[in-house]
Every structure is written in structure tokens, then in C-alpha cells.
Amino acid sequence: MEKTSCAFLDSLNQSQAELSLDQKREKLPFAIGKTEEGCDVFSGRWFRDELNRPHYEESECPYIQPQLTCQEHGRPDRGYQKWRWQPHGCDLPSFNATLMLESLRGKRMMFVGDSLNRGQYVSMICLLHRLIPEDGKSMETYNNDALTVFRAKDYNATIEFYWAPFLLESNSDNAVVHRISDRIVRKGSINKHGKHWKGVDILVFNTYLWWMTGLDMKILKGSFEDDEKEIIMVSTEDAYRMAMRSLLRWVRKNMDRKKTRVFFTSMSPTHAKSIDWGGEPGENCYNQTSLIEDPDFWSSDCRKSIMKVIGEVFSKSKFPITFLNITQLSSYRKDAHTSIYKKQWNPLTPEQLANPVSYADCVHWCLPGLQDTWNELLFAKLFYP
């Protein structure tokens, strides 16, 4: 399974390379250089870096939501903050916050997707905000919290997050109350959210976790307002393909390839089953402080069939979409999840308190931490494609 899944990503990277050649080597917006030939920044290994990591302290970034502040919530170790990603045979450009902010002058950057994309969004703000004086920045929410906007006033720039876990309209679109097990996605509805993305200069999409119900997906034809709803059942893969095609159509119609950039972040792995990495049965990411050493390790919840859909659909894109392939490098990081060290929305029961594995969050990531690396890779692909 590992090899197959990686092969899909390799073929996706390959098809993107061919796409760029077809585009007569056009210079991508924001590019100031290029990555050295043959360098795959997503293939590499983690190195301990006590001197240069983390990029910032948890306590000095007030924008991190309490679900991700692991130190504040009692995590006893800090080792997860100290790892640097080193690609094989080349170097990742150092994240330059000044360059990033100057490039955003007069522009909008937006992350669109679920809570994992929100984590990457907050990480980006934490990497940049120290350069901006206190009275020169603000953060506000709009549209019932669906849209969060960080403003760098002197730069006339915004970095935004828009909640759309399926990208299409769904019954899980409330940014606060969305814990719905019976999920329904509306066909052909990308403009419901897409109208809020128009005019953005750098778009970063993700969608994966919410499709993983373990069941077929319910697809709504017509409207959520209809009294009699026509709902069809389709496989997760077919539903996901429908969403990806809708996304590509929207991008082609609404983004200007001479001025704007679009990124898509691959699936974020979870570490809910320790048997995946040879651990004791019944354990998960709780109390994990070491990395997975096997270079071919692949989390059992990262579905190769979804990888294949992404590869098939994106290879046909006429608009250059930059794929941020964070899945493999994140798969090694069973140490980096929030686990039990986060704000709990409901009081824990005595049974849960007696068994921390039962409520450990092995989906989301502590900040500072792994998602800062995702943004280093985004930085590399934005300026040195």
C-alpha cells in the first residue's frame, strides 16, 4: 500500500511537471527563483534542530486557538517543536517572513477548508505577525465565524481562513456547530462558498477528512431548501471526484494565471492505531514522543483511492495548481499531535480521565510544530517553484 500511494503522488508530481512544460515554461506569479533541478522538497527526512526550531514560541502567538496550545494545556515535553525537514539531496529555502509580507502587500491570501487548514492558516500568521507592530494588525471573524480575517494594516494585506470542509455546500458548513454524523454534500454548489474566494491572490485549499465517514456519501441534487430532497448515494471516491472537478472548474473561471496562485494540500495523516507502526494494540498518538523511522511508513487511514482521484483530476487541470504533498513527511510525526493537551469542549468523564488514549486527538497538530513545516514548503513552492 505504501508504495502504491506514493506512486500516485509521484505521478501527480510528474503530471504537474509536464503541465508546466506544456505551459511553455511560463513564469508563475510570485516566483523569484526556482528549486534546483531534480529536487523533490517533499521527499526527505527529519533532523533534530535545537538551535533554529521552533520558529516562534507558543506563548508569543496570541492567535493560536486553544485546541492547539499543547504547552498551555500541560504537555510535559517540547521535543515535537525541534524538528526540521531536510529534503534528500537539496535544501529547503529558509522561511523569510519579510519577503512573505512584502509579497502580500496590497494582496489577499486565503486558506479554504477544514480545521487542519485552519491550523496551517494560524501557523502562517504566527510565522509573520512579529514583524507587524501591535497597532498595525487585527483579527476579526465574519459570516457566523465562517470567515476569519487577519489584517496587516501597513501592508494593506489580509491573510484569511474560510470554513468549507467539503469545499462544496454541505450540512456541515456552520463553522461552530458542525459535528454531524449524517453528512450531506450538495452537487454543483461550489459557488455557494466560491463567491467568498473571488479576488484572492493566493488560495490554499484542503479537503479530505470530512469525506472519510466509512460509508457511501449522500449527495443532494437540488437545494437544501427543497421540501422533498432528492438524495443519491455514491462512493466516497466518486463524491470526492465530483468535488475536485468542481474546484478545477471554479479555479479556471475565477483565477488569473498571470497574477494568482492556487495550492492544494494533500491529506493530513492521523495516528489513531499504534499497530500501524508496530506499537502495542489499543494505543494511539497519546504519549508518543519519538518519530516513525521507517521511510516507507504510510498511515492506514490515508486512502490510496483518494490519492488516485486527486492524481487523475489534477493532471487534467489547465490552470497550474501547486500540490503541497505533506502526507508522507507528516506520517512520520506521531509525536506532533495535540493528543490530550488541548481545550476539551465537553467535561471529561471519569472513564475518559482514567484512560487518556480514549480521548486523545490524533488528528490535529500542536503549534508551534509540524504545520510550520507545511508553510515552509508552501513558501518554497510560492517563491521557488
Side-chain angles (χ1 to χ4, degrees):
M1 177 175 178
E2 302 86 15
K3 294 286 191 295
T4 325
S5 306
C6 294
F8 286 135
L9 292 177
D10 289 344
S11 70
L12 181 54
N13 290 340
Q14 182 62 35
S15 60
Q16 283 205 312
E18 288 160 3
L19 192 64
S20 332
L21 288 171
D22 290 349
Q23 286 150 7
K24 301 187 179 68
R25 299 201 176 279
E26 67 178 282
K27 181 173 175 288
L28 290 170
F30 297 93
I32 60 171
K34 61 179 183 180
T35 307
E36 46 197 282
E37 289 293 323
C39 170
D40 177 4
V41 292
F42 303 112
S43 175
R45 53 175 294 207
W46 290 98
F47 280 90
R48 193 90 173 156
D49 189 345
E50 299 281 350
L51 282 177
N52 302 301
R53 295 292 181 277
H55 286 285
Y56 54 89
E57 293 297 331
E58 179 187 294
S59 57
E60 69 186 26
C61 185
Y63 306 102
I64 309 175
Q65 57 270 51
Q67 302 94 291
L68 308 179
T69 48
C70 299
Q71 292 297 312
E72 183 189 339
H73 289 90
R75 180 158 178 166
D77 63 303
R78 286 175 180 263
Y80 65 93
Q81 301 179 350
K82 306 281 189 185
W83 293 96
R84 174 176 58 81
W85 179 248
Q86 177 63 52
H88 292 311
C90 54
D91 289 320
L92 205 53
S94 296
F95 188 92
N96 182 330
T98 305
L99 171 61
M100 189 78 202
L101 272 173
E102 283 297 338
S103 302
L104 286 174
R105 195 176 280 282
K107 292 188 165 55
R108 294 172 66 195
M109 179 179 196
M110 183 185 280
F111 293 78
V112 177
D114 59 22
S115 56
L116 288 156
N117 224 20
R118 186 193 282 133
Q120 188 177 353
Y121 161 71
V122 171
S123 158
M124 179 62 80
I125 293 169
C126 292
L127 288 165
L128 298 177
H129 86 99
R130 279 176 302 181
L131 294 181
I132 308 166
E134 277 307 313
D135 60 355
K137 55 194 172 190
S138 66
M139 187 185 261
E140 295 168 74
T141 58
Y142 305 90
N143 298 5
N144 299 319
D145 291 342
L147 179 66
T148 306
V149 180
F150 175 84
R151 282 189 176 79
K153 293 169 190 166
D154 294 345
Y155 294 85
N156 185 29
T158 62
I159 306 173
E160 308 171 38
F161 170 75
Y162 185 90
W163 171 264
F166 292 99
L167 304 183
L168 302 177
E169 183 184 4
S170 76
N171 63 346
S172 306
D173 287 344
N174 186 306
V176 182
V177 185
H178 48 243
R179 292 196 173 184
I180 295 166
S181 54
D182 189 26
R183 297 168 188 172
I184 303 170
V185 177
R186 182 179 153 228
K187 186 178 181 182
S189 59
I190 192 107
N191 290 326
K192 169 85 191 310
H193 297 310
K195 62 178 182 275
H196 299 284
W197 316 334
K198 287 187 177 182
V200 173
D201 300 279
I202 302 171
L203 270 169
V204 185
F205 291 103
N206 92 318
T207 183
Y208 173 70
L209 196 65
W210 285 70
W211 300 88
M212 296 300 112
T213 60
L215 306 165
D216 281 355
M217 288 296 301
K218 291 185 173 179
I219 302 299
L220 172 70
K221 292 180 160 186
S223 164
F224 277 105
E225 270 65 61
D226 296 343
D227 290 335
E228 299 229 345
K229 295 181 177 55
E230 184 188 350
I231 293 176
I232 57 170
M233 304 292 289
V234 304
S235 70
T236 303
E237 289 74 14
D238 286 344
Y240 195 87
R241 184 178 290 107
M242 173 190 77
M244 292 299 98
R245 284 175 175 164
S246 291
L247 175 64
L248 290 194
R249 274 196 301 273
W250 186 92
V251 165
R252 198 174 67 240
K253 283 181 184 170
N254 294 285
M255 301 298 281
D256 180 345
R257 68 192 300 152
K258 292 188 169 62
K259 295 179 182 172
T260 63
R261 289 286 294 279
V262 177
F263 294 83
F264 188 89
T265 304
S266 67
M267 54 191 74
S268 174
T270 68
H271 293 87
K273 298 195 279 272
S274 56
I275 51 170
D276 280 2
W277 59 83
E280 293 296 315
E283 292 185 358
N284 57 18
C285 69
Y286 172 65
N287 252 354
Q288 299 292 334
T289 55
S290 62
L291 276 59
I292 292 170
E293 300 289 339
D294 175 7
D296 291 327
F297 174 76
W298 194 262
S299 178
S300 64
D301 64 343
C302 289
R303 282 172 62 168
K304 59 181 180 178
S305 54
I306 294 291
M307 290 293 200
K308 192 175 180 183
V309 169
I310 297 172
E312 285 169 1
V313 177
F314 278 39
S315 63
K316 297 185 176 83
S317 175
K318 294 189 168 54
F319 187 103
I321 295 178
T322 304
F323 189 63
L324 294 178
N325 180 2
I326 54 85
T327 307
Q328 185 81 61
L329 64 96
S330 305
S331 290
Y332 307 134
R333 297 301 306 276
K334 64 181 167 69
D335 63 312
H337 291 286
T338 51
S339 182
I340 64 170
Y341 305 109
K342 55 179 280 188
K343 177 178 177 176
Q344 303 295 337
W345 292 110
N346 300 306
L348 296 168
T349 65
E351 292 76 22
Q352 285 175 312
L353 288 166
N355 180 20
V357 168
S358 68
Y359 68 95
D361 179 345
C362 299
V363 172
H364 300 96
W365 310 95
C366 300
L367 285 180
L370 170 67
Q371 290 189 295
D372 302 318
T373 298
W374 296 5
N375 279 321
E376 290 178 78
L377 291 159
L378 171 58
F379 175 90
K381 287 294 184 182
L382 180 64
F383 294 112
Y384 306 97

